[in-house]
Amino acid sequence: MTAPADVVAAEWLKARSVRSAPYTAAVVVASVVLSALWVWNVATIADGRPPDDPVTAAASGVYLVMQIVPLAAGVLGVLTITSEYATGTVRATMAAASRGRILGAKAIVVAAAGAVAAVVSLPAASVLGRAIMGDRRVNGFGEPLSELLADGLAVVVAALLGLGLGALLRSTAAAVVAVASLLFVLPGVAGALPGPWGERVGAVLLPNLPAQVGGADDAVLPGAVALAVMVAYAVVAMAAGGLSLHRRDL
């Protein structure tokens, strides 16, 4: 039986060889650049406003990064396993070690990649944004450290979510659509629900959880509950993907 460390090393080498890996890295870098351009635009608007009428920022640079990087991490998680189904190499992979060990190794690699993407993009966007904004008065700009940490966790969760859905659905297109729906479509649907239902449903959706974990003033869920719900996205997806691997033929 192949040693666990060897399985993780093999999965790391395979993840680096996936064509989407350099594209994902480029997307992470591009998100930081776009966030800086966004903040520069807000700062330009602020310069044209009188001191007693500050600009209200609809979103900060970190917010813009969080619209891009979780999706990129989720897609990378999907491709980590569905690319092997597409090429037929999954049979050789599963023959080298147990299916559970293979999925666990992929989870370690994907989580590490998501963490690196978060560590690179989020602090960079925050530091650049604050440097560009300087001492300009802009209401609603900036994020506390607790929210930045929660955003980083959300990127890792998105990567594991993609891996779990990829193992469950075994189709790149279907899994990517599922990830995109959870990150973008469902929050829009929740916002269209009448009365308090939109707020209640939206509070448990992944894109809205980091701010609540960070203790936002308008949080619907307590921080600990929001954290548990966020982690549950990854746990449920990975459990479903692992069960599918064990019960279905390759």
mmCIF file of all heavy atoms in Angstrom, residues 148-200:
data_model
loop_
_atom_site.group_PDB
_atom_site.id
_atom_site.type_symbol
_atom_site.label_atom_id
_atom_site.label_comp_id
_atom_site.label_asym_id
_atom_site.label_seq_id
_atom_site.Cartn_x
_atom_site.Cartn_y
_atom_site.Cartn_z
ATOM 1 N N LEU A 148 -11.102 39.390 7.258
ATOM 2 C CA LEU A 148 -10.114 38.903 6.305
ATOM 3 C C LEU A 148 -9.807 37.424 6.538
ATOM 4 O O LEU A 148 -9.684 36.644 5.582
ATOM 5 C CB LEU A 148 -8.826 39.717 6.407
ATOM 6 C CG LEU A 148 -8.820 41.102 5.765
ATOM 7 C CD1 LEU A 148 -7.497 41.808 6.051
ATOM 8 C CD2 LEU A 148 -9.056 41.019 4.271
ATOM 9 N N LEU A 149 -9.685 37.028 7.797
ATOM 10 C CA LEU A 149 -9.441 35.619 8.109
ATOM 11 C C LEU A 149 -10.620 34.762 7.674
ATOM 12 O O LEU A 149 -10.436 33.654 7.144
ATOM 13 C CB LEU A 149 -9.178 35.457 9.608
ATOM 14 C CG LEU A 149 -7.890 36.085 10.137
ATOM 15 C CD1 LEU A 149 -7.823 35.982 11.651
ATOM 16 C CD2 LEU A 149 -6.666 35.415 9.506
ATOM 17 N N ALA A 150 -11.836 35.260 7.902
ATOM 18 C CA ALA A 150 -13.025 34.518 7.482
ATOM 19 C C ALA A 150 -13.100 34.415 5.960
ATOM 20 O O ALA A 150 -13.502 33.381 5.413
ATOM 21 C CB ALA A 150 -14.283 35.193 8.032
ATOM 22 N N ASP A 151 -12.700 35.482 5.270
ATOM 23 C CA ASP A 151 -12.662 35.437 3.803
ATOM 24 C C ASP A 151 -11.679 34.369 3.327
ATOM 25 O O ASP A 151 -11.953 33.632 2.376
ATOM 26 C CB ASP A 151 -12.245 36.803 3.243
ATOM 27 C CG ASP A 151 -13.356 37.835 3.312
ATOM 28 O OD1 ASP A 151 -14.536 37.432 3.365
ATOM 29 O OD2 ASP A 151 -13.043 39.036 3.313
ATOM 30 N N GLY A 152 -10.522 34.295 3.980
ATOM 31 C CA GLY A 152 -9.540 33.282 3.618
ATOM 32 C C GLY A 152 -10.081 31.877 3.801
ATOM 33 O O GLY A 152 -9.878 30.995 2.950
ATOM 34 N N LEU A 153 -10.784 31.646 4.895
ATOM 35 C CA LEU A 153 -11.393 30.340 5.131
ATOM 36 C C LEU A 153 -12.428 30.032 4.064
ATOM 37 O O LEU A 153 -12.544 28.887 3.606
ATOM 38 C CB LEU A 153 -12.028 30.303 6.523
ATOM 39 C CG LEU A 153 -12.759 29.009 6.891
ATOM 40 C CD1 LEU A 153 -11.808 27.821 6.857
ATOM 41 C CD2 LEU A 153 -13.413 29.133 8.260
ATOM 42 N N ALA A 154 -13.174 31.042 3.641
ATOM 43 C CA ALA A 154 -14.195 30.840 2.612
ATOM 44 C C ALA A 154 -13.570 30.395 1.292
ATOM 45 O O ALA A 154 -14.162 29.592 0.557
ATOM 46 C CB ALA A 154 -14.997 32.122 2.410
ATOM 47 N N VAL A 155 -12.378 30.892 0.974
ATOM 48 C CA VAL A 155 -11.693 30.460 -0.249
ATOM 49 C C VAL A 155 -11.321 28.982 -0.151
ATOM 50 O O VAL A 155 -11.511 28.214 -1.107
ATOM 51 C CB VAL A 155 -10.436 31.319 -0.501
ATOM 52 C CG1 VAL A 155 -9.647 30.780 -1.691
ATOM 53 C CG2 VAL A 155 -10.821 32.775 -0.748
ATOM 54 N N VAL A 156 -10.815 28.568 1.003
ATOM 55 C CA VAL A 156 -10.473 27.153 1.206
ATOM 56 C C VAL A 156 -11.725 26.288 1.119
ATOM 57 O O VAL A 156 -11.716 25.212 0.504
ATOM 58 C CB VAL A 156 -9.764 26.963 2.565
ATOM 59 C CG1 VAL A 156 -9.507 25.477 2.831
ATOM 60 C CG2 VAL A 156 -8.460 27.733 2.601
ATOM 61 N N VAL A 157 -12.807 26.748 1.727
ATOM 62 C CA VAL A 157 -14.071 26.008 1.675
ATOM 63 C C VAL A 157 -14.552 25.871 0.232
ATOM 64 O O VAL A 157 -15.019 24.806 -0.190
ATOM 65 C CB VAL A 157 -15.136 26.699 2.540
ATOM 66 C CG1 VAL A 157 -16.529 26.140 2.262
ATOM 67 C CG2 VAL A 157 -14.802 26.530 4.019
ATOM 68 N N ALA A 158 -14.436 26.946 -0.551
ATOM 69 C CA ALA A 158 -14.855 26.889 -1.954
ATOM 70 C C ALA A 158 -14.038 25.865 -2.730
ATOM 71 O O ALA A 158 -14.578 25.142 -3.583
ATOM 72 C CB ALA A 158 -14.723 28.273 -2.591
ATOM 73 N N ALA A 159 -12.738 25.774 -2.448
ATOM 74 C CA ALA A 159 -11.897 24.792 -3.124
ATOM 75 C C ALA A 159 -12.321 23.370 -2.779
ATOM 76 O O ALA A 159 -12.435 22.503 -3.662
ATOM 77 C CB ALA A 159 -10.434 25.019 -2.740
ATOM 78 N N LEU A 160 -12.580 23.098 -1.504
ATOM 79 C CA LEU A 160 -13.031 21.768 -1.090
ATOM 80 C C LEU A 160 -14.436 21.479 -1.593
ATOM 81 O O LEU A 160 -14.760 20.332 -1.923
ATOM 82 C CB LEU A 160 -12.977 21.662 0.433
ATOM 83 C CG LEU A 160 -11.572 21.677 1.040
ATOM 84 C CD1 LEU A 160 -11.647 21.761 2.558
ATOM 85 C CD2 LEU A 160 -10.787 20.447 0.612
ATOM 86 N N LEU A 161 -15.265 22.500 -1.653
ATOM 87 C CA LEU A 161 -16.607 22.345 -2.212
ATOM 88 C C LEU A 161 -16.523 21.889 -3.662
ATOM 89 O O LEU A 161 -17.241 20.973 -4.092
ATOM 90 C CB LEU A 161 -17.353 23.670 -2.109
ATOM 91 C CG LEU A 161 -18.772 23.731 -2.694
ATOM 92 C CD1 LEU A 161 -19.712 22.835 -1.906
ATOM 93 C CD2 LEU A 161 -19.283 25.171 -2.674
ATOM 94 N N GLY A 162 -15.636 22.513 -4.438
ATOM 95 C CA GLY A 162 -15.458 22.113 -5.828
ATOM 96 C C GLY A 162 -14.967 20.690 -5.955
ATOM 97 O O GLY A 162 -15.443 19.924 -6.806
ATOM 98 N N LEU A 163 -14.015 20.294 -5.103
ATOM 99 C CA LEU A 163 -13.502 18.927 -5.141
ATOM 100 C C LEU A 163 -14.605 17.925 -4.819
ATOM 101 O O LEU A 163 -14.754 16.908 -5.508
ATOM 102 C CB LEU A 163 -12.350 18.782 -4.152
ATOM 103 C CG LEU A 163 -11.766 17.371 -3.992
ATOM 104 C CD1 LEU A 163 -11.188 16.876 -5.316
ATOM 105 C CD2 LEU A 163 -10.707 17.358 -2.894
ATOM 106 N N GLY A 164 -15.372 18.198 -3.770
ATOM 107 C CA GLY A 164 -16.447 17.290 -3.396
ATOM 108 C C GLY A 164 -17.505 17.162 -4.473
ATOM 109 O O GLY A 164 -17.967 16.051 -4.786
ATOM 110 N N LEU A 165 -17.894 18.272 -5.055
ATOM 111 C CA LEU A 165 -18.893 18.229 -6.125
ATOM 112 C C LEU A 165 -18.338 17.548 -7.369
ATOM 113 O O LEU A 165 -19.069 16.852 -8.086
ATOM 114 C CB LEU A 165 -19.366 19.649 -6.451
ATOM 115 C CG LEU A 165 -20.220 20.329 -5.384
ATOM 116 C CD1 LEU A 165 -20.501 21.779 -5.755
ATOM 117 C CD2 LEU A 165 -21.535 19.574 -5.181
ATOM 118 N N GLY A 166 -17.041 17.745 -7.636
ATOM 119 C CA GLY A 166 -16.429 17.066 -8.768
ATOM 120 C C GLY A 166 -16.440 15.560 -8.583
ATOM 121 O O GLY A 166 -16.718 14.804 -9.525
ATOM 122 N N ALA A 167 -16.132 15.092 -7.361
ATOM 123 C CA ALA A 167 -16.167 13.659 -7.078
ATOM 124 C C ALA A 167 -17.587 13.110 -7.149
ATOM 125 O O ALA A 167 -17.804 11.971 -7.564
ATOM 126 C CB ALA A 167 -15.564 13.394 -5.702
ATOM 127 N N LEU A 168 -18.549 13.915 -6.755
ATOM 128 C CA LEU A 168 -19.949 13.477 -6.769
ATOM 129 C C LEU A 168 -20.521 13.433 -8.178
ATOM 130 O O LEU A 168 -21.159 12.448 -8.579
ATOM 131 C CB LEU A 168 -20.780 14.410 -5.892
ATOM 132 C CG LEU A 168 -22.298 14.173 -5.869
ATOM 133 C CD1 LEU A 168 -22.616 12.812 -5.246
ATOM 134 C CD2 LEU A 168 -22.995 15.298 -5.091
ATOM 135 N N LEU A 169 -20.299 14.495 -8.948
ATOM 136 C CA LEU A 169 -20.926 14.623 -10.269
ATOM 137 C C LEU A 169 -20.076 14.036 -11.394
ATOM 138 O O LEU A 169 -20.613 13.680 -12.448
ATOM 139 C CB LEU A 169 -21.216 16.098 -10.550
ATOM 140 C CG LEU A 169 -22.158 16.785 -9.546
ATOM 141 C CD1 LEU A 169 -22.269 18.273 -9.850
ATOM 142 C CD2 LEU A 169 -23.529 16.140 -9.553
ATOM 143 N N ARG A 170 -18.763 14.004 -11.231
ATOM 144 C CA ARG A 170 -17.833 13.421 -12.201
ATOM 145 C C ARG A 170 -17.913 14.099 -13.576
ATOM 146 O O ARG A 170 -17.543 13.517 -14.575
ATOM 147 C CB ARG A 170 -18.084 11.915 -12.347
ATOM 148 C CG ARG A 170 -17.974 11.170 -11.036
ATOM 149 C CD ARG A 170 -18.054 9.693 -11.203
ATOM 150 N NE ARG A 170 -17.913 9.025 -9.930
ATOM 151 C CZ ARG A 170 -17.801 7.705 -9.777
ATOM 152 N NH1 ARG A 170 -17.798 6.916 -10.836
ATOM 153 N NH2 ARG A 170 -17.681 7.175 -8.576
ATOM 154 N N SER A 171 -18.384 15.291 -13.602
ATOM 155 C CA SER A 171 -18.497 16.068 -14.837
ATOM 156 C C SER A 171 -17.988 17.468 -14.550
ATOM 157 O O SER A 171 -18.481 18.127 -13.620
ATOM 158 C CB SER A 171 -19.931 16.106 -15.326
ATOM 159 O OG SER A 171 -20.113 17.109 -16.305
ATOM 160 N N THR A 172 -17.020 17.920 -15.335
ATOM 161 C CA THR A 172 -16.473 19.255 -15.123
ATOM 162 C C THR A 172 -17.550 20.318 -15.282
ATOM 163 O O THR A 172 -17.690 21.204 -14.427
ATOM 164 C CB THR A 172 -15.329 19.523 -16.108
ATOM 165 O OG1 THR A 172 -14.283 18.567 -15.897
ATOM 166 C CG2 THR A 172 -14.772 20.924 -15.916
ATOM 167 N N ALA A 173 -18.321 20.230 -16.358
ATOM 168 C CA ALA A 173 -19.346 21.244 -16.621
ATOM 169 C C ALA A 173 -20.384 21.279 -15.511
ATOM 170 O O ALA A 173 -20.733 22.353 -15.002
ATOM 171 C CB ALA A 173 -20.012 20.973 -17.968
ATOM 172 N N ALA A 174 -20.890 20.107 -15.115
ATOM 173 C CA ALA A 174 -21.933 20.060 -14.096
ATOM 174 C C ALA A 174 -21.428 20.575 -12.753
ATOM 175 O O ALA A 174 -22.122 21.327 -12.050
ATOM 176 C CB ALA A 174 -22.455 18.635 -13.948
ATOM 177 N N ALA A 175 -20.202 20.180 -12.378
ATOM 178 C CA ALA A 175 -19.666 20.604 -11.086
ATOM 179 C C ALA A 175 -19.359 22.092 -11.062
ATOM 180 O O ALA A 175 -19.603 22.773 -10.059
ATOM 181 C CB ALA A 175 -18.411 19.799 -10.752
ATOM 182 N N VAL A 176 -18.820 22.634 -12.167
ATOM 183 C CA VAL A 176 -18.541 24.071 -12.229
ATOM 184 C C VAL A 176 -19.838 24.871 -12.159
ATOM 185 O O VAL A 176 -19.912 25.902 -11.466
ATOM 186 C CB VAL A 176 -17.744 24.414 -13.503
ATOM 187 C CG1 VAL A 176 -17.687 25.922 -13.716
ATOM 188 C CG2 VAL A 176 -16.328 23.854 -13.414
ATOM 189 N N VAL A 177 -20.864 24.409 -12.844
ATOM 190 C CA VAL A 177 -22.162 25.090 -12.780
ATOM 191 C C VAL A 177 -22.699 25.060 -11.350
ATOM 192 O O VAL A 177 -23.249 26.052 -10.854
ATOM 193 C CB VAL A 177 -23.164 24.444 -13.756
ATOM 194 C CG1 VAL A 177 -24.579 24.933 -13.475
ATOM 195 C CG2 VAL A 177 -22.780 24.751 -15.193
ATOM 196 N N ALA A 178 -22.538 23.922 -10.674
ATOM 197 C CA ALA A 178 -23.005 23.816 -9.294
ATOM 198 C C ALA A 178 -22.263 24.790 -8.381
ATOM 199 O O ALA A 178 -22.885 25.470 -7.541
ATOM 200 C CB ALA A 178 -22.835 22.381 -8.803
ATOM 201 N N VAL A 179 -20.948 24.870 -8.529
ATOM 202 C CA VAL A 179 -20.166 25.802 -7.713
ATOM 203 C C VAL A 179 -20.572 27.243 -7.999
ATOM 204 O O VAL A 179 -20.791 28.040 -7.077
ATOM 205 C CB VAL A 179 -18.656 25.612 -7.972
ATOM 206 C CG1 VAL A 179 -17.854 26.724 -7.300
ATOM 207 C CG2 VAL A 179 -18.187 24.259 -7.470
ATOM 208 N N ALA A 180 -20.687 27.591 -9.276
ATOM 209 C CA ALA A 180 -21.079 28.956 -9.648
ATOM 210 C C ALA A 180 -22.480 29.286 -9.135
ATOM 211 O O ALA A 180 -22.735 30.420 -8.711
ATOM 212 C CB ALA A 180 -21.014 29.120 -11.164
ATOM 213 N N SER A 181 -23.370 28.314 -9.150
ATOM 214 C CA SER A 181 -24.730 28.551 -8.659
ATOM 215 C C SER A 181 -24.724 28.847 -7.168
ATOM 216 O O SER A 181 -25.434 29.747 -6.693
ATOM 217 C CB SER A 181 -25.609 27.331 -8.951
ATOM 218 O OG SER A 181 -25.733 27.121 -10.343
ATOM 219 N N LEU A 182 -23.917 28.093 -6.409
ATOM 220 C CA LEU A 182 -23.848 28.315 -4.969
ATOM 221 C C LEU A 182 -23.223 29.667 -4.630
ATOM 222 O O LEU A 182 -23.604 30.306 -3.642
ATOM 223 C CB LEU A 182 -23.049 27.194 -4.305
ATOM 224 C CG LEU A 182 -23.747 25.831 -4.238
ATOM 225 C CD1 LEU A 182 -22.771 24.755 -3.796
ATOM 226 C CD2 LEU A 182 -24.929 25.888 -3.278
ATOM 227 N N LEU A 183 -22.272 30.097 -5.453
ATOM 228 C CA LEU A 183 -21.565 31.344 -5.157
ATOM 229 C C LEU A 183 -22.277 32.585 -5.684
ATOM 230 O O LEU A 183 -22.167 33.663 -5.084
ATOM 231 C CB LEU A 183 -20.149 31.289 -5.746
ATOM 232 C CG LEU A 183 -19.192 30.282 -5.120
ATOM 233 C CD1 LEU A 183 -17.848 30.321 -5.827
ATOM 234 C CD2 LEU A 183 -19.012 30.538 -3.632
ATOM 235 N N PHE A 184 -23.012 32.457 -6.795
ATOM 236 C CA PHE A 184 -23.569 33.649 -7.444
ATOM 237 C C PHE A 184 -25.079 33.594 -7.681
ATOM 238 O O PHE A 184 -25.762 34.575 -7.449
ATOM 239 C CB PHE A 184 -22.865 33.889 -8.788
ATOM 240 C CG PHE A 184 -21.394 34.130 -8.666
ATOM 241 C CD1 PHE A 184 -20.485 33.197 -9.119
ATOM 242 C CD2 PHE A 184 -20.904 35.283 -8.072
ATOM 243 C CE1 PHE A 184 -19.127 33.400 -8.996
ATOM 244 C CE2 PHE A 184 -19.552 35.503 -7.934
ATOM 245 C CZ PHE A 184 -18.652 34.559 -8.400
ATOM 246 N N VAL A 185 -25.586 32.461 -8.139
ATOM 247 C CA VAL A 185 -26.993 32.395 -8.527
ATOM 248 C C VAL A 185 -27.905 32.393 -7.302
ATOM 249 O O VAL A 185 -28.852 33.191 -7.214
ATOM 250 C CB VAL A 185 -27.261 31.154 -9.398
ATOM 251 C CG1 VAL A 185 -28.752 31.077 -9.747
ATOM 252 C CG2 VAL A 185 -26.424 31.206 -10.669
ATOM 253 N N LEU A 186 -27.641 31.501 -6.349
ATOM 254 C CA LEU A 186 -28.513 31.399 -5.183
ATOM 255 C C LEU A 186 -28.567 32.688 -4.354
ATOM 256 O O LEU A 186 -29.644 33.052 -3.871
ATOM 257 C CB LEU A 186 -28.085 30.223 -4.308
ATOM 258 C CG LEU A 186 -28.361 28.834 -4.900
ATOM 259 C CD1 LEU A 186 -27.982 27.745 -3.903
ATOM 260 C CD2 LEU A 186 -29.820 28.690 -5.300
ATOM 261 N N PRO A 187 -27.444 33.414 -4.157
ATOM 262 C CA PRO A 187 -27.573 34.695 -3.445
ATOM 263 C C PRO A 187 -28.501 35.670 -4.155
ATOM 264 O O PRO A 187 -29.237 36.406 -3.500
ATOM 265 C CB PRO A 187 -26.131 35.218 -3.418
ATOM 266 C CG PRO A 187 -25.298 33.986 -3.450
ATOM 267 C CD PRO A 187 -26.028 33.048 -4.351
ATOM 268 N N GLY A 188 -28.486 35.676 -5.492
ATOM 269 C CA GLY A 188 -29.410 36.533 -6.226
ATOM 270 C C GLY A 188 -30.844 36.106 -6.047
ATOM 271 O O GLY A 188 -31.748 36.940 -5.906
ATOM 272 N N VAL A 189 -31.083 34.802 -6.052
ATOM 273 C CA VAL A 189 -32.439 34.286 -5.835
ATOM 274 C C VAL A 189 -32.917 34.639 -4.436
ATOM 275 O O VAL A 189 -34.066 35.052 -4.240
ATOM 276 C CB VAL A 189 -32.463 32.765 -6.048
ATOM 277 C CG1 VAL A 189 -33.823 32.184 -5.645
ATOM 278 C CG2 VAL A 189 -32.166 32.428 -7.505
ATOM 279 N N ALA A 190 -32.024 34.482 -3.446
ATOM 280 C CA ALA A 190 -32.403 34.803 -2.067
ATOM 281 C C ALA A 190 -32.775 36.274 -1.931
ATOM 282 O O ALA A 190 -33.716 36.630 -1.211
ATOM 283 C CB ALA A 190 -31.265 34.457 -1.112
ATOM 284 N N GLY A 191 -32.047 37.135 -2.630
ATOM 285 C CA GLY A 191 -32.340 38.565 -2.559
ATOM 286 C C GLY A 191 -33.686 38.926 -3.145
ATOM 287 O O GLY A 191 -34.247 39.982 -2.822
ATOM 288 N N ALA A 192 -34.215 38.059 -4.009
ATOM 289 C CA ALA A 192 -35.507 38.329 -4.630
ATOM 290 C C ALA A 192 -36.673 37.763 -3.834
ATOM 291 O O ALA A 192 -37.839 38.010 -4.183
ATOM 292 C CB ALA A 192 -35.539 37.740 -6.045
ATOM 293 N N LEU A 193 -36.399 37.023 -2.763
ATOM 294 C CA LEU A 193 -37.475 36.445 -1.963
ATOM 295 C C LEU A 193 -38.179 37.533 -1.163
ATOM 296 O O LEU A 193 -37.557 38.498 -0.718
ATOM 297 C CB LEU A 193 -36.924 35.377 -1.016
ATOM 298 C CG LEU A 193 -36.356 34.122 -1.681
ATOM 299 C CD1 LEU A 193 -35.759 33.203 -0.623
ATOM 300 C CD2 LEU A 193 -37.431 33.399 -2.477
ATOM 301 N N PRO A 194 -39.490 37.394 -0.950
ATOM 302 C CA PRO A 194 -40.243 38.440 -0.233
ATOM 303 C C PRO A 194 -39.997 38.416 1.268
ATOM 304 O O PRO A 194 -39.622 37.393 1.842
ATOM 305 C CB PRO A 194 -41.700 38.078 -0.546
ATOM 306 C CG PRO A 194 -41.673 36.597 -0.765
ATOM 307 C CD PRO A 194 -40.347 36.304 -1.427
ATOM 308 N N GLY A 195 -40.249 39.554 1.877
ATOM 309 C CA GLY A 195 -40.223 39.665 3.323
ATOM 310 C C GLY A 195 -38.891 39.283 3.936
ATOM 311 O O GLY A 195 -37.831 39.483 3.339
ATOM 312 N N PRO A 196 -38.961 38.697 5.141
ATOM 313 C CA PRO A 196 -37.704 38.352 5.827
ATOM 314 C C PRO A 196 -37.046 37.088 5.288
ATOM 315 O O PRO A 196 -35.929 36.771 5.680
ATOM 316 C CB PRO A 196 -38.162 38.138 7.279
ATOM 317 C CG PRO A 196 -39.575 37.657 7.150
ATOM 318 C CD PRO A 196 -40.144 38.386 5.953
ATOM 319 N N TRP A 197 -37.730 36.380 4.383
ATOM 320 C CA TRP A 197 -37.172 35.126 3.900
ATOM 321 C C TRP A 197 -35.879 35.333 3.124
ATOM 322 O O TRP A 197 -34.968 34.511 3.182
ATOM 323 C CB TRP A 197 -38.207 34.393 3.049
ATOM 324 C CG TRP A 197 -39.317 33.818 3.879
ATOM 325 C CD1 TRP A 197 -40.594 34.290 3.983
ATOM 326 C CD2 TRP A 197 -39.229 32.686 4.747
ATOM 327 N NE1 TRP A 197 -41.314 33.522 4.865
ATOM 328 C CE2 TRP A 197 -40.499 32.530 5.353
ATOM 329 C CE3 TRP A 197 -38.208 31.810 5.074
ATOM 330 C CZ2 TRP A 197 -40.764 31.520 6.263
ATOM 331 C CZ3 TRP A 197 -38.474 30.792 5.994
ATOM 332 C CH2 TRP A 197 -39.740 30.647 6.572
ATOM 333 N N GLY A 198 -35.821 36.408 2.366
ATOM 334 C CA GLY A 198 -34.600 36.682 1.616
ATOM 335 C C GLY A 198 -33.403 36.836 2.531
ATOM 336 O O GLY A 198 -32.326 36.300 2.271
ATOM 337 N N GLU A 199 -33.589 37.558 3.633
ATOM 338 C CA GLU A 199 -32.505 37.762 4.585
ATOM 339 C C GLU A 199 -32.127 36.461 5.282
ATOM 340 O O GLU A 199 -30.938 36.169 5.475
ATOM 341 C CB GLU A 199 -32.917 38.812 5.618
ATOM 342 C CG GLU A 199 -31.810 39.199 6.577
ATOM 343 C CD GLU A 199 -32.257 40.267 7.559
ATOM 344 O OE1 GLU A 199 -33.445 40.233 7.973
ATOM 345 O OE2 GLU A 199 -31.429 41.114 7.900
ATOM 346 N N ARG A 200 -33.133 35.670 5.627
ATOM 347 C CA ARG A 200 -32.863 34.416 6.341
ATOM 348 C C ARG A 200 -32.153 33.406 5.458
ATOM 349 O O ARG A 200 -31.193 32.753 5.882
ATOM 350 C CB ARG A 200 -34.177 33.829 6.857
ATOM 351 C CG ARG A 200 -34.853 34.662 7.934
ATOM 352 C CD ARG A 200 -36.243 34.157 8.230
ATOM 353 N NE ARG A 200 -36.933 34.991 9.220
ATOM 354 C CZ ARG A 200 -38.216 34.871 9.537
ATOM 355 N NH1 ARG A 200 -38.958 33.936 8.935
ATOM 356 N NH2 ARG A 200 -38.751 35.664 10.428
#
